[in-house]
Amino acid sequence: VNGKAVALDPNATDGSEVPVGVLINDVSAVTDTESVMVSRNVLLSDRYVIWPTGISTLQKSTAIAALNVVGVVLRQGA
């Protein structure tokens, strides 16, 4: 959104409903913060992914499928 990475919002219609990568550390949503994002050719454990509060099972499945498309694979329980 506006050339910046933003948190996943599965209910949005501005592009933030489609994940394109995963941040590997905590960042502030209030200030512009630099971070590292993995966005392709990576295998991650789903145990460490923090999902938005209230995300449904269907929304999570949709987000995981979108991440798979860009090469971010979440491995269950690893």
Side-chain angles (χ1 to χ4, degrees):
V1 176
N2 298 325
K4 295 183 181 183
V6 296
L8 174 66
D9 182 353
N11 298 310
T13 58
D14 62 358
S16 63
E17 72 277 13
V18 181
V20 295
V22 177
L23 293 177
I24 62 169
N25 59 319
D26 291 334
V27 296
S28 170
V30 177
T31 60
D32 285 341
T33 305
E34 290 188 11
S35 183
V36 175
M37 178 175 72
V38 292
S39 58
R40 62 180 173 191
N41 301 327
V42 65
L43 176 63
L44 301 172
S45 171
D46 69 341
R47 291 190 311 171
Y48 301 105
V49 175
I50 299 171
W51 295 100
T53 302
I55 191 170
S56 72
T57 302
L58 177 60
Q59 290 170 326
K60 190 183 291 187
S61 295
T62 301
I64 290 169
L67 287 170
N68 283 333
V69 168
V70 297
V72 176
V73 177
L74 299 182
R75 186 170 180 184
Q76 189 173 10

